[in-house]
Amino acid sequence: MTLTEILVSASLLVISASASLQVWASGSRWSLRSEQRLEQQQALEAELLAVQARLQQLAGTPVAGDCEDAADWLVSQLPALQRQGEGVLLRLQAGDGGERQRWYDPAAYGLCNPSAAPLQAPSP
Amino acid sequence: MLPLAWSVSLLLLLSSLSLQALALQEGSLQALQLRRRQQEDQLMTAAQRLAGRLQRQHSCLLPLAAAAWPAAGCATATELAELRQGLRAYQPAPAGGDPQAPEGRVELLLQQGEGAAAFALHWRRPDPAGPPVLVALRELGLRQVQP
């Protein structure tokens, strides 16, 4: 074993170790970022499902004769919603987690029916 | 000594690269999942629009299979064409359900681009002689369809 051989081997090891350390660090940064993104996506999904579950709960009981009034009533019940056109829009955003957007029509849930009783008092 | 150093450095580099590849794959899987969920959102919105339209303007079509729509006489040919946009299937469930029953369910399959999803519409007749009224819309999930 010559001195040259030892020097070459040592520098080879140092270079490869530092390079792989850098790649490893960037890989774990990526992993961390995608884990955070996954959490945000799951939070959005949970929020969306909660709104939809509440809609299903309210479904079937007419609250107004007019669908516009029913949409206004829905917004008062579920603050995550906003009025858009004849219905309501749910828009959820979370930085890196992307954006979710769904439009709901009170008529699809039987919330407005011309033969319905006048607007119900909002339930808690 | 030199061959050993070579092998160790190769091992180090390979292991870190495979870790990096794993992280990248995880990221692309997540992007795919987000796209799939956004596709579900679009299909749900389309289903809401169709259901709302049926309820507001053509409630007599609600309990009927799509094949029976033209004979029902409560929508013009243009309106029917608009209603059928993206609609791959619309039929009572279970098949042959009585449109005059006090309540019932229809299943529909909507397509948008490459994605398709099934939904169930539940209807009821508050007045036995009156028109059906939608009471709920449920998602049945994404479906595979032939393009």
Side-chain angles (χ1 to χ4, degrees), chain A residues 1 5-6 8-9 12-13 16-17 19-20 23-24 26-28 30-31 33-35 37-38 41-42 45 48 52 56 59-60 67 84 86-87 97-113 115, chain B residues 1-6 8-10 12-13 15-17 19-20 22-24 26-28 30-31 33-34 37-38 40-42 44-45 47-49 51-53 55-57 121-122 124 126 133-139:
Chain A
M1 204 167 18
E5 199 181 339
I6 292 177
V8 170
S9 306
L12 197 67
L13 276 177
S16 67
S20 70
V23 176
W24 198 78
S26 98
S28 39
W30 261 89
S31 275
R33 268 237 320 262
S34 46
E35 203 170 311
R37 244 196 327 249
L38 185 71
Q41 277 184 25
Q42 277 167 347
E45 178 78 2
L48 188 139
Q52 230 161 265
Q56 298 281 9
C67 289
Q84 195 196 63
E86 291 175 305
E99 190 193 61
R100 303 288 305 272
Q101 194 170 309
R102 283 185 180 200
W103 184 84
Y104 300 99
D105 193 329
Y109 290 95
L111 294 173
C112 43
N113 183 351
S115 61
Chain B
M1 179 86 179
L2 203 56
L4 184 70
W6 270 114
V8 170
S9 34
L10 207 67
L12 277 173
L13 280 174
S15 64
S16 59
L17 278 177
L19 200 84
Q20 171 89 340
L22 211 71
L24 286 176
E26 202 176 325
S28 70
Q30 247 169 44
Q33 199 174 29
L34 180 66
R37 283 183 170 156
Q38 285 171 339
E40 276 179 342
D41 292 348
Q42 282 174 9
M44 178 59 154
T45 299
Q48 293 277 339
R49 291 198 190 278
R53 206 154 162 202
Q55 173 63 64
R56 287 161 206 263
Q57 290 152 23
L121 296 179
H122 295 257
R124 193 188 296 154
V133 173
L134 265 184
V135 288
L137 189 160
R138 273 189 313 116
E139 281 178 295

Side-chain angles (χ1 to χ4, degrees), chain A residues 3-124:
Chain A
L3 183 64
T4 327
E5 199 181 339
I6 292 177
L7 280 177
V8 170
S9 306
S11 48
L12 197 67
L13 276 177
V14 167
I15 291 170
S16 67
S18 75
S20 70
L21 203 71
Q22 271 176 26
V23 176
W24 198 78
S26 98
S28 39
R29 260 202 311 277
W30 261 89
S31 275
L32 198 71
R33 268 237 320 262
S34 46
E35 203 170 311
Q36 281 169 349
R37 244 196 327 249
L38 185 71
E39 271 171 26
Q40 285 172 338
Q41 277 184 25
Q42 277 167 347
L44 287 190
E45 178 78 2
E47 207 175 327
L48 188 139
L49 288 179
V51 167
Q52 230 161 265
R54 183 82 180 112
L55 269 175
Q56 298 281 9
Q57 226 175 39
L58 298 170
T61 317
V63 293
D66 184 43
C67 289
E68 301 275 331
D69 292 340
D72 286 337
W73 180 83
L74 259 186
V75 172
S76 73
Q77 292 294 295
L78 290 155
L81 299 173
Q82 59 192 80
R83 283 296 311 268
Q84 195 196 63
E86 291 175 305
V88 291
L89 182 75
L90 174 66
R91 180 184 281 144
L92 301 169
Q93 263 174 316
D96 253 3
E99 190 193 61
R100 303 288 305 272
Q101 194 170 309
R102 283 185 180 200
W103 184 84
Y104 300 99
D105 193 329
Y109 290 95
L111 294 173
C112 43
N113 183 351
S115 61
L119 208 63
Q120 274 184 356
S123 59

